[in-house]
């Protein structure tokens, strides 16, 4: 009897092309910071990967930071901020963060209540705005509910507050253009779309 795997939202099976790329990268000595030929070859692999990710999500390659996964990506986005505004249905890596100060409720459909969000943004002291981050996931990892990211981004911009979106569940499944959607930071993860675990 063969098992049937149906939990791609948790982790998608590794794509053969990704497995081949990993195997190729594990051959020669590879420190991309080295100036010799081996190092330059490794650097080319890293920068080519960075360009591929940038093309996938619509940002500049220089804006792509590789991490060990979505949780680390979320935590890096929070660094430098002392006040986090988020929703009640975020991933645990967001909700359990020590800087959460305001939690916005969602409606019966799981969509962030925009009047409550506006009230929270309006309540931020202008002197604290530079140290405040709004973090709302684009697609919920359990229900699949999509949030109105463009509208939320506009609200954050009006308030002068940086906006982070955990886009782990939407990346590779729906078109993302970070250059147009108004987010300051976004988290994505390879293992949700057929890449290796441990890459965010």
């Amino acid at each position: 009897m063969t098992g049937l795997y149906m939990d791609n939202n948790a982790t998608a099976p590794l794509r053969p092309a990704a497995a081949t790329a990993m195997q190729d990268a594990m051959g020669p000595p590879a420190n991309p910071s080295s100036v010799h030929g081996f190092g330059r070859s490794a650097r080319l692999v890293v920068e080519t990967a960075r360009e591929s990710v940038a093309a996938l999500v619509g940002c500049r390659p220089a804006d792509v930071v590789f991490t060990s996964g979505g949780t680390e990506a979320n935590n890096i986005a929070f660094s430098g901020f002392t006040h986090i505004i988020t929703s009640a249905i975020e991933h645990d890596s967001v909700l359990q963060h020590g800087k959460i100060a305001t939690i916005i409720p969602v409606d019966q459909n799981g969509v962030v209540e925009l009047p409550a969000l506006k009230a929270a943004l309006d309540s931020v002291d202008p002197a604290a705005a530079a140290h405040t981050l709004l973090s709302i996931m684009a697609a919920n990892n359990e229900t699949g509910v999509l949030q109105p990211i463009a509208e939320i981004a506009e609200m954050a911009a009006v308030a002068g507050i940086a906006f982070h979106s955990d886009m782990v569940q939407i990346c590779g499944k729906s078109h993302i253009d970070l250059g147009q959607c108004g987010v300051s930071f976004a988290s994505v993860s390879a293992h949700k779309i057929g890449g290796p675990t441990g890459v965010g």
Side-chain angles (χ1 to χ4, degrees):
M1 185 171 172
T2 303
L4 180 61
Y5 184 78
M6 299 180 67
D7 197 15
N8 280 16
N9 277 356
T11 296
L14 184 66
R15 293 175 185 239
T20 299
M22 290 171 59
Q23 187 65 40
D24 291 346
M26 292 181 186
N31 182 341
S33 296
S34 297
V35 296
H36 49 60
F38 291 109
R40 289 195 304 274
S41 294
R43 171 61 63 185
L44 179 62
V45 171
V46 171
E47 296 309 324
T48 300
R50 194 183 312 277
E51 290 171 5
S52 295
V53 172
L56 175 67
V57 299
C59 71
R60 301 178 311 162
D63 293 333
V64 175
V65 177
F66 292 116
T67 70
S68 67
T71 295
E72 185 183 1
N74 288 342
N75 284 317
I76 287 174
F78 291 172
S79 63
F81 295 97
T82 56
H83 179 160
I84 308 296
I85 300 172
T86 192
S87 81
I89 56 162
E90 299 298 309
H91 188 271
D92 282 346
S93 66
V94 171
L95 288 175
Q96 294 180 7
H97 201 280
K99 299 176 182 177
I100 301 300
T102 307
I103 297 182
I104 308 301
V106 296
D107 64 19
Q108 68 272 18
N109 297 314
V111 177
V112 172
E113 291 187 356
L114 297 181
L117 174 57
K118 184 178 187 311
L121 293 172
D122 289 347
S123 72
V124 175
D125 186 319
H131 302 289
T132 301
L133 178 71
L134 171 63
S135 181
I136 304 291
M137 63 169 39
N140 187 269
N141 54 302
E142 294 181 3
T143 66
V145 170
L146 302 178
Q147 300 298 333
I149 293 299
E151 189 172 354
I152 292 170
E154 185 174 345
M155 293 170 68
V158 168
I161 291 173
F163 176 34
H164 163 258
S165 184
D166 179 337
M167 295 188 164
V168 165
Q169 290 296 343
I170 201 168
C171 180
K173 301 168 188 171
S174 184
H175 177 69
I176 297 175
D177 189 340
L178 297 180
Q180 298 296 320
C181 71
V183 300
S184 310
F185 309 97
S187 302
V188 299
S189 190
H191 74 104
K192 302 293 186 180
I193 54 175
T197 55
V199 181

